[in-house]
Amino acid sequence: MKRTKIIDVLKSTEYGKDICVKGWVRTHRSSKAVDFIALNDGSTIKNVQVVVDPTKFDEQILKDITTGSCICAEGVLVESQGAGQSSEIQATKLEIYGLCDNTYPMQKKGQSFEVMRKNAHMRLRTNTFGAVMRIRHNMAMAIHTYFHEHGFFYFHTPLITASDCEGAGNMFQVTTKNLYDLKKDEQGKIIYDDDFFGEQTSLTVSGQLEGELGATALGAIYTFGPTFRAENSNTPRHLAEFWMVEPEVAFLNQEELMDLEEDFIKYCVRWALDNCKDDLAFLNQMIDKTLIQRLEGVLKDRFVRLPYTQGIEILQEAIKNGKKFEFPCNWGDDLASEHERYLVEEHFKKPVIMTDYPRAFKSFYMKQNPGTTGKPGDTGENGSVGYKGAVAPGPTMQGTDVLFPQIGEIIGGSVREESYDKLMAEIERREMDQTHLWWYIDTRRWGTCPHAGFGLGFERLILFVTGMQNIRDVIPFPRTPKSAEF
């Protein structure tokens, strides 16, 4: 008999129809009169109840069907007499595909997330991780659908690169060299002439620079793929391997970029609310009882658009009024997650797009705001506008970072510097190695154009949408320092 997915069984009202389901046992309750098997096949958070008359089946097969076992159940679809489900199956045939003994780590009793991370190969079968992975799939579909509907082209950028987009140097090297017999020059530097690519290469930290090339040819592109950062960060917000969504758009200014960021993220949240109702309801009950309310809250109001300088003033005023922060927040400091979350969760109580950051901690490719003509002493080096009516102490860049409750920064974006002279001046000011940037610089020499873009950390989006607290729990197999199992 052809198998029917459980999600379709639970929607069906064809009572009296013979039906076949296959899946993994969530629970098996036995008695002399009747057995109840809760079966799940991953198609939905909900289980189908298989009702078994023990007098019609071999006693041993019913003993062998334990939590985690994989079985096939055939029977008649009937209207359920119990609460919580509309349909159930009166079993006429049971077949065991895979036994599961009492060493199975995902027993019915609750497991800590730490224990489940150690059993990542089995945790996907739990209700929580099934819900998270289905939502992850839906968010990927939302992203592709949004950009396709808005005229963007899906653009594939390389995973292996000789350039460092962020300039941080924390990259995983890719080599075919014998690490036990490395050739070095007179200065002790490794010679890469005999390596596969003939030069030092690494796994990419971002597809942005190549994405800009696509935008200056196709108008609007987006990348969606894995990126890698070799940072020794053991926090609930960092992974060594994670997925990034990076649109780049020609002829886009700062205001239009913020419109795109807000519209895109709201589209994704709305998609989750419309298409993941059962999974969100489960997570709202089991993980975070404010989850759905918070998701709906994102859609209600326009995001606050807040220049960095004004944000610093709000934070410093909060400190004067007794607010305690672990990290400093003076003008020129890169804001910590605690600062971002204060602005979003306590001060404005809605998402914030922070703009016009100091040049000192932003990337070389960002467009610098024009200088201002304040009175002597009002500004620092080439002072720039921080927000309407005020002057920042130093140069600022046209960054546009989206800050969300529970998360902090979920999107990092900016207008890119299109001027060859200004870009080269910034590269030289930072004393950057131009060896592997020649092709990027060429875009400013030949047919340059205004353009902008952003990067969305996909796992941070999943964190927000699911209410999970650790980024290691929203990706199937997390890669973190000292951990590359599964």
Side-chain angles (χ1 to χ4, degrees), residues 212 365 416-420 423 440-448 451:
E212 288 186 49
Y365 49 71
R416 318 308 190 190
E417 180 53 70
E418 78 272 16
S419 164
Y420 173 84
L423 182 67
Y440 182 74
I441 294 169
D442 273 355
T443 61
R444 273 63 170 180
R445 296 176 58 216
W446 299 321
T448 189
H451 61 288

Side-chain angles (χ1 to χ4, degrees), residues 148-167:
H148 178 69
E149 290 178 349
H150 287 77
F152 285 67
F153 297 101
Y154 186 24
F155 191 71
H156 298 128
T157 55
L159 297 185
I160 300 173
T161 179
S163 67
D164 178 359
C165 174
E166 298 295 323

Side-chain angles (χ1 to χ4, degrees), residues 346-475:
E346 298 185 46
H347 187 81
F348 291 107
K349 295 182 172 58
K350 63 178 71 173
V352 169
I353 304 180
M354 184 165 277
T355 67
D356 306 306
Y357 288 88
R359 179 176 69 182
F361 59 80
K362 285 300 182 181
S363 298
F364 76 96
Y365 49 71
M366 291 190 181
K367 187 176 183 67
Q368 185 172 311
N369 279 312
T372 60
T373 55
K375 295 179 292 185
D378 283 350
T379 66
E381 177 194 359
N382 299 328
S384 58
V385 174
Y387 65 98
K388 187 176 181 180
V391 176
T396 58
M397 312 289 256
Q398 290 186 22
T400 57
D401 294 355
V402 180
L403 313 180
F404 257 31
Q406 304 286 342
I407 301 296
E409 181 189 324
I410 195 169
I411 282 178
S414 77
V415 179
R416 318 308 190 190
E417 180 53 70
E418 78 272 16
S419 164
Y420 173 84
D421 291 337
K422 291 179 180 178
L423 182 67
M424 288 303 300
E426 189 64 20
I427 288 173
E428 290 167 4
R429 189 187 73 81
R430 299 183 186 219
E431 299 180 344
M432 294 175 62
D433 184 358
Q434 300 175 35
T435 305
H436 298 294
L437 285 175
W438 63 269
W439 49 270
Y440 182 74
I441 294 169
D442 273 355
T443 61
R444 273 63 170 180
R445 296 176 58 216
W446 299 321
T448 189
C449 69
H451 61 288
F454 67 80
L456 165 78
F458 186 54
E459 280 73 28
R460 290 199 176 189
L461 173 64
I462 309 304
L463 268 182
F464 179 75
V465 172
T466 62
M468 300 293 280
Q469 298 300 305
N470 195 311
I471 203 165
R472 303 175 191 200
D473 298 329
V474 296
I475 191 169

Side-chain angles (χ1 to χ4, degrees), residues 253-270:
N253 62 32
Q254 188 178 28
E255 195 67 27
E256 292 166 334
L257 176 60
M258 288 188 283
D259 290 341
L260 174 65
E261 290 171 337
E262 181 171 348
D263 189 56
F264 167 70
I265 202 77
K266 283 183 173 179
Y267 182 95
C268 292
V269 171
R270 191 177 296 109

Side-chain angles (χ1 to χ4, degrees), residues 151-153 214-221 248-251:
F152 285 67
F153 297 101
T216 57
L218 300 173
I221 65 94
E248 290 290 331
V249 190
F251 317 116

Side-chain angles (χ1 to χ4, degrees), residues 239-296:
L239 291 166
E241 175 186 289
F242 55 99
W243 287 63
M244 287 281 286
V245 180
E246 297 178 292
E248 290 290 331
V249 190
F251 317 116
L252 204 69
N253 62 32
Q254 188 178 28
E255 195 67 27
E256 292 166 334
L257 176 60
M258 288 188 283
D259 290 341
L260 174 65
E261 290 171 337
E262 181 171 348
D263 189 56
F264 167 70
I265 202 77
K266 283 183 173 179
Y267 182 95
C268 292
V269 171
R270 191 177 296 109
W271 183 290
L273 288 167
D274 290 344
N275 295 279
C276 307
K277 290 181 175 137
D278 290 341
D279 288 320
L280 288 176
F282 172 82
L283 294 171
N284 193 82
Q285 178 184 359
M286 303 301 294
I287 302 297
D288 183 347
K289 297 192 184 302
T290 66
L291 174 60
I292 293 176
Q293 178 185 356
R294 193 165 60 250
L295 294 176
E296 291 173 342

Side-chain angles (χ1 to χ4, degrees), residues 319-340:
I319 292 172
K320 289 178 185 176
N321 293 329
K323 179 68 178 179
K324 302 291 185 184
F325 292 115
E326 180 180 355
F327 297 101
C329 55
N330 298 308
W331 201 99
D333 291 330
D334 193 358
L335 296 185
S337 179
E338 61 175 342
H339 305 134
E340 295 169 343

